[in-house]
Amino acid sequence: FSSTANTTMGVSSTLAGRGAPQENKKEHALAASNEVPTVGELKAAIPPHCFQRSAARSLFLVARDGVIISSLFWLAWQLPYENISFLGWCLWGVYAFLQGTAFTGWWVLAHECGHGGFSDYTALNDTVGFVLHSFCLVPYFSWQYSHAKHHSKTNHLLDGESHVPPGPGFRKKFGKLLDIIGEDGFAIFQLVTHLLLGWPLYLFFNSTGARRTLDGERITTTHDHFRPSSKLFPKNGRWNTRVFLSTAGCAGMIVGLLWLGSVIGYQRTALLYVPAYLWCNAWLVLYTWLQHTDPALPHYGDDSWTWMKGALSTIDRPYGVFDWMHHYIGSTHVAHHVFSSLPCYHAQEATRHIKAYL
């Protein structure tokens, strides 16, 4: 996953001359000077139609993913769920991966809703986003808030809200384990814990999140996404209601799964949903991890951070067929950070123009 012209784009590579080949003198001068462009300059480089949103087109994508998810449910319904053979477990494993991959498509569209990139209508965005994220056990409004903070403070060492590099305390906590299992073993430990537990740990404990509160104080309490009283959120009635609704949406989904279990059997319900849910979580963590982690990517302190530096300090990576399934969230992430309400179906074109400008 090294930064190469064909696979990645971030400020560290493009502004330092390590990104796309220098196609003209303007681009070469920009790279050589380490100049950071303005939002207006980048927007002017992108065709205006890329910023136009279509509710019909977005709803079609929801339906498209829904057909895939429903088809996979139907196929899994044919599998044995009692006295399962080795081959049966293998088929359930394939289903879990494919269904989790499909769930991630809905997850990305709900993320699009939270940014306002789904349509021009806030009510439609929040309705669709709430339903899809609740289905994936994501507290929609709560995460919408923390994710907005992530976008507003990207790659800030103290206020960043996603994969903030660990401080000295991390070494104190895990130093002995590292000494016992070695660097390779610790890398595997990190990989498994991130992909399996990273998402729920972030939602419940704000793991890898910001180090400071909204008031600029060091975090000393649990900043979860489920309590209206959590210090992760502003202290006002509007957000108290939104956080409550978000938690209620997740609770409603759990109740629905329990009800389904009482009808078709709990084991069958668990096989249909839980492994796919874990794969969806793994995809999400993998994307955010790789989008914001690279040896060449800088993180900034108070004295050097700016919004544009943070927005451009992200990485685009190719994911093959999964790009199509996940609405190109991994391969157009720089464009998404600069223009978060730009719809996903125009992100590839916008990325090409941003890359050419940088």
Side-chain angles (χ1 to χ4, degrees):
F1 294 109
S2 60
S3 298
T4 66
N6 293 327
T7 61
T8 62
M9 181 173 72
V11 71
S12 59
S13 59
T14 55
L15 298 187
R18 296 182 57 208
Q22 308 299 320
E23 297 176 351
N24 53 54
K25 292 181 180 179
K26 174 185 175 183
E27 185 177 348
H28 179 75
L30 178 65
S33 66
N34 283 332
E35 178 186 346
V36 178
T38 66
V39 174
E41 288 170 343
L42 289 181
K43 188 171 184 179
I46 301 172
H49 72 264
C50 288
F51 297 94
Q52 296 175 0
R53 294 174 288 272
S54 168
R57 190 168 181 178
S58 296
L59 288 170
F60 168 77
L61 292 177
V62 174
R64 184 202 78 177
D65 292 352
V67 169
I68 295 172
I69 290 170
S70 299
S71 299
L72 289 170
F73 271 134
W74 182 84
L75 290 172
W77 191 262
Q78 318 307 315
L79 297 177
Y81 59 94
E82 293 179 333
N83 301 316
I84 304 173
S85 65
F86 175 77
L87 176 61
W89 281 117
C90 290
L91 292 174
W92 274 111
V94 172
Y95 160 77
F97 173 74
L98 294 176
Q99 190 66 290
T101 301
F103 281 4
T104 307
W106 266 1
W107 195 103
V108 171
L109 291 175
H111 157 266
E112 190 97 340
C113 290
H115 279 294
F118 189 83
S119 77
D120 293 326
Y121 310 103
T122 301
L124 177 62
N125 294 343
D126 287 342
T127 299
V128 174
F130 179 83
V131 171
L132 296 184
H133 261 176
S134 295
F135 176 82
C136 297
L137 292 179
V138 177
Y140 173 73
F141 292 111
S142 303
W143 185 75
Q144 180 190 45
Y145 179 84
S146 64
H147 189 61
K149 185 184 176 188
H150 160 64
H151 273 259
S152 69
K153 292 289 186 177
T154 307
N155 283 35
H156 192 293
L157 282 169
L158 296 176
D159 298 329
E161 197 61 39
S162 178
H163 295 287
V164 177
F170 183 85
R171 174 71 192 190
K172 292 179 181 179
K173 184 182 295 184
F174 293 103
K176 290 184 178 180
L177 178 62
L178 174 62
D179 293 337
I180 293 172
I181 65 178
E183 289 191 0
D184 290 342
F186 193 75
I188 295 173
F189 167 77
Q190 284 278 82
L191 184 66
V192 172
T193 54
H194 269 69
L195 299 184
L196 185 62
L197 303 174
W199 179 239
L201 284 174
Y202 175 67
L203 291 181
F204 281 98
F205 304 106
N206 202 41
S207 296
T208 77
R211 294 190 175 100
R212 292 195 299 205
T213 67
L214 296 171
D215 299 323
E217 300 174 353
R218 285 283 182 167
I219 292 177
T220 57
T221 60
T222 300
H223 283 205
D224 64 274
H225 285 71
F226 297 99
R227 294 175 300 129
S229 61
S230 171
K231 291 186 178 181
L232 179 64
F233 309 107
K235 297 178 181 178
N236 62 59
R238 178 170 175 260
W239 274 104
N240 286 347
T241 301
R242 289 185 165 206
V243 174
F244 173 80
L245 289 173
S246 302
T247 303
C250 293
M253 181 62 189
I254 293 173
V255 170
L257 289 171
L258 292 174
W259 172 82
L260 183 63
S262 70
V263 175
I264 68 171
Y266 293 106
Q267 181 169 323
R268 196 175 201 180
T269 300
L271 287 169
L272 287 169
Y273 184 83
V274 175
Y277 162 77
L278 294 176
W279 269 112
C280 179
N281 290 353
W283 270 115
L284 162 64
V285 173
L286 181 68
Y287 276 125
T288 55
W289 200 2
L290 293 181
Q291 286 162 351
H292 299 284
T293 306
D294 189 274
L297 281 188
H299 284 71
Y300 303 96
D302 284 332
D303 58 341
S304 58
W305 180 88
T306 67
W307 182 87
M308 183 56 82
K309 283 183 180 179
L312 289 177
S313 294
T314 56
I315 289 285
D316 291 344
R317 303 183 191 272
Y319 292 87
V321 67
F322 302 111
D323 268 334
W324 177 85
M325 193 66 229
H326 297 156
H327 311 289
Y328 305 97
I329 191 174
S331 57
T332 62
H333 202 63
V334 175
H336 172 66
H337 261 270
V338 180
F339 304 106
S340 59
S341 62
L342 186 147
C344 60
Y345 39 82
H346 292 316
Q348 285 182 292
E349 182 178 358
T351 293
R352 289 194 296 270
H353 288 283
I354 292 175
K355 209 167 191 177
Y357 183 87
L358 294 176

